[in-house]
Amino acid sequence: MRKFMLAASALLVSALSTPAFAASCEASVPGDFSKVGETRLSVLFWDVYDATLYSPSGKYEKSERQALRLNYLRDIDAADLIETTEEEWQKLELDSSGHDEWLAKLKDIWPDIKEGDCLLLVESDNGYAEFYQGEELLGTVESQVFTDQFLAIWLSPESRFEDERNELVGAK
């Protein structure tokens, strides 16, 4: 009986850490959105996350609302996510006038990430960034400029991950 319980526990842990479990964020993608593209970000030999971009037309058009889903393939502290966000904005040389306020807001709403977790940004009708983990709304950053700058990390032609950007926007 003990072997059965250990095997069942191992199977459950394995099932919970698979991408199928992480796909629960998909339920928060607006129903009228379609997939534009997807990619996997790997740095050196570490897989970091799988990213999927959605829009109402199923095409990347800057004038359309977007949704970006990240399914994480490793544990990442919220503080590291926030630091990386700031670094990417600096590399893109974006206007930093709102960064301190936005990073403080992200600190309040983003959780530490465990392998298999997902985060989803849905751009609202008014251009605000709504962040979800699974079906739970974590919080909203009420700034269209924030939304544009945050998505630029992945969608800007100047993104440092050019191949991944092209896969997300359907250019490859």
Side-chain angles (χ1 to χ4, degrees), residues 60-169:
Y60 174 63
E61 304 203 16
K62 201 165 165 97
S63 61
E64 272 196 308
R65 292 173 52 215
Q66 309 290 324
L68 179 69
R69 184 182 79 205
L70 303 175
N71 290 334
Y72 287 89
L73 305 171
R74 56 185 301 109
D75 295 354
I76 304 176
D77 291 336
D80 292 335
L81 289 175
I82 292 164
E83 181 180 328
T84 300
T85 298
E86 183 176 26
E87 289 170 359
E88 293 302 319
W89 282 340
Q90 289 170 354
K91 288 175 185 164
L92 289 169
E93 299 179 359
L94 299 173
D95 174 15
S96 63
S97 59
H99 290 182
D100 289 341
E101 175 187 342
W102 300 334
L103 293 168
K105 177 72 173 177
L106 294 178
K107 184 178 180 182
D108 289 341
I109 63 176
W110 279 354
D112 291 334
I113 297 297
K114 299 294 178 206
E115 180 181 351
D117 284 349
C118 63
L119 285 179
L120 172 73
L121 175 147
V122 175
E123 184 177 355
S124 68
D125 288 335
N126 52 7
Y128 297 167
E130 299 172 343
F131 286 99
Y132 293 85
Q133 184 175 36
E135 295 183 39
E136 177 187 354
L137 177 63
L138 299 172
T140 302
V141 179
E142 296 179 353
S143 167
Q144 185 164 6
V145 176
F146 167 84
T147 304
D148 292 343
Q149 287 193 12
F150 188 79
L151 289 172
I153 294 169
W154 292 271
L155 305 179
S156 169
E158 289 80 35
S159 171
R160 75 177 170 122
F161 300 106
E162 183 180 352
D163 291 340
E164 290 82 358
R165 181 257 181 207
N166 289 339
E167 289 174 351
L168 272 179
V169 302

Side-chain angles (χ1 to χ4, degrees), residues 14-39:
S14 172
L16 293 179
S17 63
T18 63
F21 179 72
S24 66
C25 267
E26 195 157 351
S28 296
V29 174
D32 60 338
F33 279 39
S34 298
K35 182 167 60 170
V36 175
E38 59 189 354
T39 192

